[in-house]
Amino acid sequence: MPDTPRKSYADLFRTPEFSPLFLSTSANIAAQTVSGLALGTLVFRATDSPLLSALSMFGPALAQVLGATLFLSGADRLPPRATLTGLSLAFAAATAALALPGLPVWAMLAIVLAEGMIASLGGGVRWGLLNEILTKDGYLAGRSLFNMMSGVMQITGYAAGGVLVTLLSPRLCLLLAAGLYGAAAGLALLLTHRPPRAAGRPSVTATWRANALLWSARPRRHVYLALWLPNGLVVGCESLYVSYDPRAAGTLFACAALGMLAGDVTVGRLLPARLRPRLGVPLLVLLATPYLALFLRPPLPLTAVLVALASVGFGASLVQQERLVTLTPDELTGHALGLHSAGMLTAQGLAATLAGTVAQFTSPATAMTAMAVASLAVTLTLTVASRRDAGDGGLLPRRVPEAA
C-alpha cells in the first residue's frame, strides 16, 4: 500500500492559527530552558547537592501527576486562547519570583512544584488545539515540527544560558526567562477565539472518568507506558549533567537537543510511513545505550557525541504519539495528549529524583549508567508484553483489540 501524501512544513505555516501557536510555544520552551539551567546552577552552587540540583530542574515534572489527576479535564473544556495566555503569565510571575535575592532553596522548590501542577493543563490544551488546527492527517508533521523547534530552542537556550550564567548570574537569567514567558502570553493572544472542544465544566470527577476510559484499553496502556518510562529514565541521566560536569553542562544539554532534533527530522520527514512503526523499539534502545559508556568518564568531546547519538532515540515518541491519536476518540484528543505529556513529565521528574539520589550516594557517572540499564530493561519488558498480547507489533502493534 503506498504511503499517503504528507503535509510539508510550508503547508503547516499556511494553516490559520498554526504560526501564533508555534511562536508562543517556542517562547515558552526557550523560557523553560534558560530558567531550568539557571535554577539548577543556582541550587547546585548553594547546596553542592546533585539531588537538589536535579530536583530544581526536573522537580516540576513530579507535580504533573497531581495536575493530571485534578485539572486535566480542562484541556478540552476550557477556551484554548485564554488558557494558554493565562498559563504563560502565571509562569512569568513564578519565574520572576525565583530570581528574588535570598530566597531559600525550599521556597524555590515549592514554586517550581506549583509550576508543574499548572503545566499539566497546558500540554493538553496546546496539543489538543494543534490536532484541531491541523486535522489528523497533518498532526504528525505538525508535532514533528514542534519537536524540531523544541530542539532548536533547547540548543540555543542551553548554549546562551550557559554563557549568561557564567558571565552574568543565574538570577539575571531567571529574569530573562520571565520576559520570555511574557512574550509567549502576548503571542498566544494572536490565536483565534475558539470554544472548548467538549461540553461541561472541568472537574476532578470528569478528569478521573476520562483518565479511566483512556487507561481501560490495553493498546493505549502499552503506548502510554512506552511514551513515559524509557524516555523518563533517560531524562534522569540528563538531569545529572550539571553535577557530572558543571562547566560543560550547557554543552551537554545543547548536544542532547541537537540529537533530538536529528531524530525528529528523520522520523517526521525522512522515514516512509510504512517503516515508522517498525523503528519504535530500535529507537528506544538507541535512547539508552550510549549512556552505558559514561561510567568510564570519557573525554568531553566523546561524551558530547554519545549524548547527541542517544538523543536521536527520542524520535520514538513521534511514532508512539501517532499511534495514540489513532486510538483516541476525537472528543478526548486534548485530554489524551495532555495525559501523555503529564505522565511523561512525571516519569522524568521521578527519574531525576531517583538519579539524583543514586548520584548522591555513588557518583553522577554511576547513576547515569544505572538509569540507562533500567531504561533498556523497561523497553525489553514492554516489547515482550505487547507482542504476547497483540501478536504482531511490539510496542506499536498495527492491529490490536480495544478490550481491556
PDB file of all heavy atoms in Angstrom, residues 138-150:
ATOM      1  N   GLY A 138      -2.427  15.803   9.325  1.00  0.00           N
ATOM      2  CA  GLY A 138      -1.290  16.704   9.434  1.00  0.00           C
ATOM      3  C   GLY A 138      -0.666  16.732  10.816  1.00  0.00           C
ATOM      4  O   GLY A 138       0.329  17.430  11.029  1.00  0.00           O
ATOM      5  N   TYR A 139      -1.217  15.943  11.755  1.00  0.00           N
ATOM      6  CA  TYR A 139      -0.737  16.047  13.136  1.00  0.00           C
ATOM      7  C   TYR A 139       0.720  15.609  13.264  1.00  0.00           C
ATOM      8  O   TYR A 139       1.513  16.262  13.953  1.00  0.00           O
ATOM      9  CB  TYR A 139      -1.614  15.218  14.076  1.00  0.00           C
ATOM     10  CG  TYR A 139      -1.153  15.282  15.509  1.00  0.00           C
ATOM     11  CD1 TYR A 139      -1.467  16.374  16.308  1.00  0.00           C
ATOM     12  CD2 TYR A 139      -0.355  14.279  16.053  1.00  0.00           C
ATOM     13  CE1 TYR A 139      -1.024  16.459  17.620  1.00  0.00           C
ATOM     14  CE2 TYR A 139       0.091  14.352  17.353  1.00  0.00           C
ATOM     15  CZ  TYR A 139      -0.239  15.441  18.136  1.00  0.00           C
ATOM     16  OH  TYR A 139       0.212  15.521  19.429  1.00  0.00           O
ATOM     17  N   LEU A 140       1.094  14.490  12.621  1.00  0.00           N
ATOM     18  CA  LEU A 140       2.464  14.002  12.780  1.00  0.00           C
ATOM     19  C   LEU A 140       3.468  15.028  12.270  1.00  0.00           C
ATOM     20  O   LEU A 140       4.470  15.315  12.931  1.00  0.00           O
ATOM     21  CB  LEU A 140       2.646  12.678  12.043  1.00  0.00           C
ATOM     22  CG  LEU A 140       4.062  12.098  12.157  1.00  0.00           C
ATOM     23  CD1 LEU A 140       4.343  11.639  13.572  1.00  0.00           C
ATOM     24  CD2 LEU A 140       4.265  10.947  11.183  1.00  0.00           C
ATOM     25  N   ALA A 141       3.203  15.604  11.083  1.00  0.00           N
ATOM     26  CA  ALA A 141       4.111  16.621  10.548  1.00  0.00           C
ATOM     27  C   ALA A 141       4.170  17.828  11.481  1.00  0.00           C
ATOM     28  O   ALA A 141       5.242  18.390  11.732  1.00  0.00           O
ATOM     29  CB  ALA A 141       3.664  17.051   9.152  1.00  0.00           C
ATOM     30  N   GLY A 142       3.015  18.237  12.014  1.00  0.00           N
ATOM     31  CA  GLY A 142       2.985  19.373  12.927  1.00  0.00           C
ATOM     32  C   GLY A 142       3.740  19.095  14.203  1.00  0.00           C
ATOM     33  O   GLY A 142       4.541  19.923  14.664  1.00  0.00           O
ATOM     34  N   ARG A 143       3.518  17.930  14.792  1.00  0.00           N
ATOM     35  CA  ARG A 143       4.212  17.605  16.039  1.00  0.00           C
ATOM     36  C   ARG A 143       5.703  17.439  15.796  1.00  0.00           C
ATOM     37  O   ARG A 143       6.530  17.799  16.635  1.00  0.00           O
ATOM     38  CB  ARG A 143       3.608  16.341  16.650  1.00  0.00           C
ATOM     39  CG  ARG A 143       4.056  16.087  18.089  1.00  0.00           C
ATOM     40  CD  ARG A 143       3.615  17.224  19.004  1.00  0.00           C
ATOM     41  NE  ARG A 143       4.233  17.123  20.299  1.00  0.00           N
ATOM     42  CZ  ARG A 143       3.651  16.597  21.385  1.00  0.00           C
ATOM     43  NH1 ARG A 143       2.419  16.123  21.294  1.00  0.00           N
ATOM     44  NH2 ARG A 143       4.262  16.552  22.528  1.00  0.00           N
ATOM     45  N   SER A 144       6.058  16.886  14.623  1.00  0.00           N
ATOM     46  CA  SER A 144       7.469  16.777  14.273  1.00  0.00           C
ATOM     47  C   SER A 144       8.117  18.157  14.225  1.00  0.00           C
ATOM     48  O   SER A 144       9.219  18.363  14.755  1.00  0.00           O
ATOM     49  CB  SER A 144       7.614  16.087  12.911  1.00  0.00           C
ATOM     50  OG  SER A 144       8.933  16.183  12.433  1.00  0.00           O
ATOM     51  N   LEU A 145       7.427  19.118  13.609  1.00  0.00           N
ATOM     52  CA  LEU A 145       7.985  20.465  13.520  1.00  0.00           C
ATOM     53  C   LEU A 145       8.093  21.106  14.900  1.00  0.00           C
ATOM     54  O   LEU A 145       9.071  21.800  15.207  1.00  0.00           O
ATOM     55  CB  LEU A 145       7.125  21.323  12.595  1.00  0.00           C
ATOM     56  CG  LEU A 145       7.659  22.722  12.277  1.00  0.00           C
ATOM     57  CD1 LEU A 145       9.044  22.639  11.652  1.00  0.00           C
ATOM     58  CD2 LEU A 145       6.709  23.458  11.337  1.00  0.00           C
ATOM     59  N   PHE A 146       7.101  20.871  15.753  1.00  0.00           N
ATOM     60  CA  PHE A 146       7.179  21.390  17.120  1.00  0.00           C
ATOM     61  C   PHE A 146       8.351  20.762  17.869  1.00  0.00           C
ATOM     62  O   PHE A 146       9.058  21.451  18.614  1.00  0.00           O
ATOM     63  CB  PHE A 146       5.868  21.116  17.861  1.00  0.00           C
ATOM     64  CG  PHE A 146       4.861  22.220  17.742  1.00  0.00           C
ATOM     65  CD1 PHE A 146       4.127  22.393  16.589  1.00  0.00           C
ATOM     66  CD2 PHE A 146       4.641  23.100  18.790  1.00  0.00           C
ATOM     67  CE1 PHE A 146       3.195  23.408  16.465  1.00  0.00           C
ATOM     68  CE2 PHE A 146       3.717  24.121  18.687  1.00  0.00           C
ATOM     69  CZ  PHE A 146       2.991  24.281  17.521  1.00  0.00           C
ATOM     70  N   ASN A 147       8.569  19.464  17.679  1.00  0.00           N
ATOM     71  CA  ASN A 147       9.701  18.821  18.336  1.00  0.00           C
ATOM     72  C   ASN A 147      11.035  19.347  17.814  1.00  0.00           C
ATOM     73  O   ASN A 147      11.993  19.529  18.570  1.00  0.00           O
ATOM     74  CB  ASN A 147       9.626  17.310  18.136  1.00  0.00           C
ATOM     75  CG  ASN A 147       8.556  16.662  18.986  1.00  0.00           C
ATOM     76  OD1 ASN A 147       7.855  17.334  19.740  1.00  0.00           O
ATOM     77  ND2 ASN A 147       8.407  15.367  18.861  1.00  0.00           N
ATOM     78  N   MET A 148      11.096  19.596  16.497  1.00  0.00           N
ATOM     79  CA  MET A 148      12.304  20.185  15.936  1.00  0.00           C
ATOM     80  C   MET A 148      12.552  21.569  16.520  1.00  0.00           C
ATOM     81  O   MET A 148      13.679  21.921  16.889  1.00  0.00           O
ATOM     82  CB  MET A 148      12.180  20.274  14.418  1.00  0.00           C
ATOM     83  CG  MET A 148      12.225  18.938  13.708  1.00  0.00           C
ATOM     84  SD  MET A 148      11.697  19.064  11.979  1.00  0.00           S
ATOM     85  CE  MET A 148      12.834  20.294  11.380  1.00  0.00           C
ATOM     86  N   MET A 149      11.486  22.353  16.593  1.00  0.00           N
ATOM     87  CA  MET A 149      11.608  23.683  17.197  1.00  0.00           C
ATOM     88  C   MET A 149      12.083  23.565  18.645  1.00  0.00           C
ATOM     89  O   MET A 149      12.927  24.340  19.101  1.00  0.00           O
ATOM     90  CB  MET A 149      10.260  24.400  17.122  1.00  0.00           C
ATOM     91  CG  MET A 149      10.169  25.691  17.914  1.00  0.00           C
ATOM     92  SD  MET A 149       9.637  25.426  19.641  1.00  0.00           S
ATOM     93  CE  MET A 149       7.967  24.858  19.387  1.00  0.00           C
ATOM     94  N   SER A 150      11.546  22.582  19.366  1.00  0.00           N
ATOM     95  CA  SER A 150      11.968  22.392  20.750  1.00  0.00           C
ATOM     96  C   SER A 150      13.466  22.107  20.819  1.00  0.00           C
ATOM     97  O   SER A 150      14.173  22.647  21.679  1.00  0.00           O
ATOM     98  CB  SER A 150      11.183  21.232  21.368  1.00  0.00           C
ATOM     99  OG  SER A 150      11.615  20.978  22.683  1.00  0.00           O
TER     100      SER A 150
END
